[in-house]
Amino acid sequence: MQINPADQLFLFYNKYREFSTFLTTPGNYSIIKSVRTGSVPTQHRKGKCTTMIKSMTGFGRCEIARGERRISVEMKSVNHRYLDVSIKMPKKLNFFEAAIRGELKNHIQRGKVDLFITYEDFTESNVCVKYNKELAAEYMLYLNRMAEDFSLENDIRVSALSRYPEILSMEEQTLDEDELWQLLEEAVRGAAEGFVETRIREGENLKNDLIGKLDGMLAHVDYITELSPQLITEYKQKLRDKVKELLEDAKVDESRLLMEVTIFADKVCVDEELVRLRSHIETTKENLQQGGSIGRKLDFIAQEMNREANTILSKTSDLEISNRAIELKTEIEKVREQIQNIE
């Protein structure tokens, strides 16, 4: 028995639909992927090491007082593509700027960080009076010469000479840099640790909110996956009824009818987009569970999810699927906004 080309095409399309449905079933895509790549799906890995998700907004403060010295460090941050640290501190601490930045890099990977440092020294012996003997001698030399040249009385007293510029000056004693750095390093590390704790707390809230949104997106994908095959059947019946109505008693050319249905099915088929979209959603959830500095990666995946949703929306002619695709785009945009705040 010979099958005409139209029937062969339609049978091939049905097989393609069955395979696509298998791929879009939850869990099957990761199985196919693991077989092809030799990897094990995340949910089946043993001894998996996870790190915490961190937000890019945070606040930390630490104050250290030791003896007559006190250092206070305060830091806060907002979203940024890279690590951008701005430090405001007294001039006498500028020598430690590079070391401070190095310490912060041990705790922070991304974000615009503002760091404020205040330093107070209450010691009484940190300032001394300096007497410039050479300059005083030079003043006296010229004063005596002026008295001789103009026959004037030399009435210079010590009290008057001491008020001349730079004879007596106040000088701050040299600080012990090692001792000061130990104090400053402790304060910076304490502020950074508190800062990271607030980032982790907010990161956990972001993670839970994102997983909830991703589960909602999977529900939309499941609905579209279930509804899509019905469109072909409905279109085939509508087309058959329309042809019968126009041709009345004439026989319907089944070959031509199947050809039109196949062409329509190819235009509205969104199976590939659904497979990729489901994969992106599952990958995002896996990365959220694993943790770490994943903000940039998730931002790229969100762009890909938005691209797939746009394609689904442009292909479909069904109102229900269009509404679900619009809801998908809305949820993806919300997810992307939240991802912008992940380190």
Side-chain angles (χ1 to χ4, degrees):
M1 180 180 177
Q2 191 158 1
I3 303 175
N4 66 51
D7 289 339
Q8 287 181 342
L9 183 61
F10 194 67
L11 287 171
F12 173 78
Y13 180 76
N14 284 337
K15 291 294 183 182
Y16 170 75
R17 291 285 309 183
E18 290 174 7
F19 182 68
S20 298
T21 303
F22 171 78
L23 286 181
T24 54
T25 302
N28 288 344
Y29 180 82
S30 60
I31 294 173
I32 295 294
K33 183 179 178 182
S34 65
V35 171
R36 181 171 57 85
T37 61
S39 62
V40 181
T42 304
Q43 61 268 30
H44 301 302
R45 293 174 190 164
K46 295 183 180 180
K48 181 180 61 175
C49 179
T50 60
T51 54
M52 305 298 286
I53 294 289
K54 295 178 187 176
S55 166
M56 273 198 288
T57 57
F59 177 82
R61 189 178 189 278
C62 183
E63 184 175 300
I64 302 292
R66 191 168 297 153
E68 300 296 325
R69 294 173 177 172
R70 182 170 64 190
I71 289 182
S72 176
V73 178
E74 187 175 296
M75 56 193 302
K76 59 182 181 179
S77 71
V78 294
N79 302 352
H80 199 272
R81 293 182 63 189
Y82 309 102
L83 178 59
D84 180 15
V85 179
S86 174
I87 303 176
K88 294 183 179 179
M89 58 184 174
K91 283 186 177 181
K92 65 180 67 178
L93 300 181
N94 284 346
F95 176 78
F96 303 111
E97 182 174 348
I100 293 171
R101 291 182 181 274
E103 178 65 30
L104 291 178
K105 287 181 180 179
N106 295 330
H107 302 273
I108 311 165
Q109 280 73 49
R110 292 177 66 203
K112 187 180 187 309
V113 182
D114 292 315
L115 186 73
F116 304 93
I117 301 175
T118 58
Y119 171 69
E120 296 173 285
D121 191 343
F122 301 103
T123 57
E124 296 179 358
S125 59
N126 64 332
V127 177
C128 64
V129 177
K130 182 181 179 182
Y131 164 49
N132 194 331
K133 181 180 178 181
E134 291 76 11
L135 184 61
E138 195 167 351
Y139 273 123
M140 287 301 301
L141 174 65
Y142 285 105
L143 289 171
N144 289 329
R145 185 176 297 177
M146 289 171 62
E148 292 175 3
D149 291 344
F150 300 102
S151 302
L152 297 174
E153 182 183 357
N154 192 342
D155 59 350
I156 296 298
R157 296 177 177 272
V158 173
S159 58
L161 182 62
S162 65
R163 290 194 289 269
Y164 277 65
E166 304 298 330
I167 297 297
L168 298 177
S169 60
M170 304 293 287
E171 187 176 78
E172 189 172 353
Q173 291 183 343
T174 305
L175 297 172
D176 186 339
E177 292 181 356
D178 292 337
E179 181 183 347
L180 184 58
W181 169 241
Q182 290 178 3
L183 188 65
L184 178 58
E185 183 184 27
E186 185 178 346
V188 171
R189 185 179 293 116
E193 290 172 353
F195 173 81
V196 170
E197 287 179 7
T198 62
R199 281 184 146 197
I200 289 175
R201 283 198 299 270
E202 187 169 341
E204 279 300 298
N205 294 333
L206 282 173
K207 170 185 170 181
N208 295 333
D209 181 67
L210 282 170
I211 289 177
K213 285 182 168 61
L214 292 168
D215 288 337
M217 289 165 58
L218 282 175
H220 291 314
V221 172
D222 291 339
Y223 180 85
I224 296 174
T225 302
E226 183 181 351
L227 189 62
S228 292
Q230 300 176 17
L231 297 180
I232 311 300
T233 305
E234 291 175 2
Y235 178 78
K236 181 179 179 181
Q237 187 59 44
K238 287 180 182 178
L239 187 59
R240 186 188 300 277
D241 294 342
K242 191 67 175 177
V243 171
K244 284 184 177 180
E245 180 184 341
L246 294 174
L247 299 179
E248 296 180 351
D249 296 332
K251 185 179 179 181
V252 178
D253 186 353
E254 289 293 332
S255 176
R256 180 60 181 170
L257 182 66
L258 290 176
M259 182 70 74
E260 290 296 331
V261 171
T262 304
I263 293 172
F264 172 78
D266 185 60
K267 287 182 179 179
V268 300
C269 178
V270 291
D271 294 335
E272 293 181 10
E273 287 77 11
L274 291 171
V275 169
R276 288 193 293 266
L277 183 54
R278 184 184 297 279
S279 171
H280 294 327
I281 295 172
E282 294 290 355
T283 301
T284 302
K285 291 179 67 176
E286 288 178 9
N287 279 276
L288 287 170
Q289 296 294 349
Q290 292 173 13
S293 298
I294 56 174
R296 293 180 186 174
K297 181 178 180 180
L298 294 188
D299 185 46
F300 174 76
I301 295 175
Q303 295 178 40
E304 294 301 309
M305 286 194 288
N306 191 57
R307 185 175 290 111
E308 303 300 344
N310 282 332
T311 306
I312 293 171
L313 187 60
S314 65
K315 280 188 173 184
T316 186
S317 58
D318 181 75
L319 182 59
E320 284 296 322
I321 294 182
S322 294
N323 289 337
R324 289 295 180 131
I326 291 171
E327 291 179 16
L328 262 175
K329 282 178 59 63
T330 303
E331 289 300 312
I332 291 170
E333 191 59 36
K334 292 179 182 177
V335 166
R336 192 174 179 189
E337 287 178 3
Q338 292 285 57
I339 287 173
Q340 298 293 327
N341 199 33
I342 294 179
E343 184 180 61

